[in-house]
Amino acid sequence: MAYDNNSDFTVQSVGAKVQAGEIDMVIHNGDISYADAYMVHWDMFMRKVSPAFAAYVPYMTNPGNHELYANFTAYKTRLGLSMPRDSTALEGAMYYALNIGPTKILMMDSETYIDTANIPEAEVAWANGQLSAQDRKTQPWALVFQHRPLYCNYKGFDCKEFAYLLRLQAESTYLNNKVDFVSAAHVHYYLRSYPLSMGMATGYSYDNPSSPVYVVNGAAGNREGNKDGKGREADLYPAGNSAIGYGVMEVVSDFPNNKHSMTYSFFDSATNELLDNFTITKNIN
């Protein structure tokens, strides 16, 4: 989501939902402002999002590749140091965990200062520790947000070599700990997967899936424009869209009846038209 007018509709639409009390928290999954080390553009972006939503609800971020300059110094100074710190993480780590009601959210760091994908062993070990200690009877949902995707269907390194590397590094941890949902950005489109494991769909339903559902939402608006991933590898990805848009997630847990659901909706930023949505349901044994 950029500092310039390409993100105007997204900022306005998200801001309207915040002001109406429909959104409790905003997650910005990397590529904060597209300032690319130009501090004036950082300032423009923060002045844009603050009155719209960032001053009213928690604005949670993790780094993207456009923050890499000077080893992420601007990101760390402006936002990173304001994010939660975890005593079990490495000193200076840009990853952290959120525990919100029935949901654990891991905000991962998938970046390097040389613009490559990487989730190092120490971070994977930290994630495993967080997830393995989670009591799923009282906190049934495990969600992961990271800038770069493990799964996507566009041409080029991001969806081939880099995605494969991230799967080698982190997918087994997500699978073994029964992560429900992984959200990425980086590729400028919207893409939804079926539940996936090791490159294959484990089912074509979102009712009690046995593996994570993956969403790529890098569509909020930037100077590079959006791509179209619709129709590629339809056996893995049933929905895609190139519109400038934003996602809204709603998590509901009915503990007495052991019914839990997570609904993700993708909206057109300019019109607020609903372009895609799906609901993951689960029961805890």
Side-chain angles (χ1 to χ4, degrees):
M1 187 161 61
Y3 71 89
D4 59 22
N5 60 7
N6 289 295
S7 67
D8 283 357
F9 287 127
T10 300
V11 172
Q12 292 166 13
S13 294
V14 173
K17 278 185 163 53
V18 167
Q19 298 302 323
E22 299 174 17
I23 291 178
D24 299 311
M25 179 176 70
V26 172
I27 293 178
H28 193 159
N29 208 7
D31 282 357
I32 318 295
S33 84
Y34 287 79
D36 291 337
Y38 189 41
M39 295 302 111
V40 172
H41 289 169
W42 268 106
D43 294 340
M44 291 171 63
F45 178 78
M46 296 309 297
R47 291 176 184 137
K48 183 176 186 176
V49 300
S50 291
F53 54 77
Y56 298 96
V57 296
Y59 176 50
M60 311 310 297
T61 66
N62 54 7
N65 59 301
H66 282 271
E67 287 80 76
L68 62 83
Y69 299 91
N71 195 22
F72 301 90
T73 296
Y75 170 76
K76 291 177 181 177
T77 302
R78 291 173 180 265
L79 289 168
L81 294 176
S82 300
M83 297 300 115
R85 301 265 64 83
D86 190 323
S87 61
T88 64
L90 292 179
E91 181 70 24
M94 294 186 288
Y95 51 86
Y96 56 93
L98 299 170
N99 292 289
I100 304 172
T103 307
K104 178 181 282 290
I105 300 174
L106 299 190
M107 299 290 288
M108 300 290 284
D109 174 11
S110 60
E111 303 305 310
T112 71
Y113 66 89
I114 57 172
D115 199 9
T116 57
N118 188 47
I119 302 178
E121 289 184 10
E123 184 178 354
V124 173
W126 169 85
N128 184 65
Q130 287 284 330
L131 294 167
S132 61
Q134 183 179 355
D135 183 353
R136 300 302 279 266
K137 292 182 180 179
T138 60
Q139 196 177 46
W141 294 100
L143 316 179
V144 172
F145 286 77
Q146 59 185 66
H147 181 65
R148 296 193 192 236
L150 273 70
Y151 286 98
C152 53
N153 66 356
Y154 201 72
K155 59 187 177 182
F157 274 47
D158 290 320
C159 295
K160 296 185 183 299
E161 288 85 353
F162 284 161
Y164 179 68
L165 171 63
L166 293 177
R167 292 199 298 272
L168 287 177
Q169 293 174 322
E171 185 175 16
S172 62
T173 295
Y174 297 165
L175 288 167
N176 292 341
N177 288 287
K178 301 186 183 305
V179 166
D180 301 290
F181 174 82
V182 181
S183 177
H186 192 59
V187 183
H188 299 152
Y189 60 14
Y190 169 78
L191 186 71
R192 164 167 58 93
S193 81
Y194 290 118
L196 300 179
S197 173
M198 301 299 173
M200 299 180 64
T202 58
Y204 299 98
S205 166
Y206 298 106
D207 295 330
N208 286 297
S210 61
S211 57
V213 177
Y214 292 83
V215 159
V216 179
N217 187 353
N222 64 85
R223 64 177 178 269
E224 298 174 1
N226 282 3
K227 299 173 171 61
D228 187 3
K230 186 176 181 180
R232 296 189 185 93
E233 299 179 80
D235 57 324
L236 301 181
Y237 308 106
N241 205 294
S242 61
I244 292 176
Y246 63 96
V248 175
M249 177 184 295
E250 181 180 24
V251 176
V252 177
S253 280
D254 178 357
F255 287 99
N257 294 304
N258 192 23
K259 294 182 178 180
H260 309 277
S261 65
M262 189 212 82
T263 299
Y264 189 98
S265 302
F266 179 66
F267 294 93
D268 185 297
S269 292
T271 65
N272 281 306
E273 176 188 358
L274 178 63
L275 301 177
D276 186 51
N277 79 322
F278 64 98
T279 299
I280 301 172
T281 61
K282 62 188 300 184
N283 308 107
I284 304 301
N285 296 323

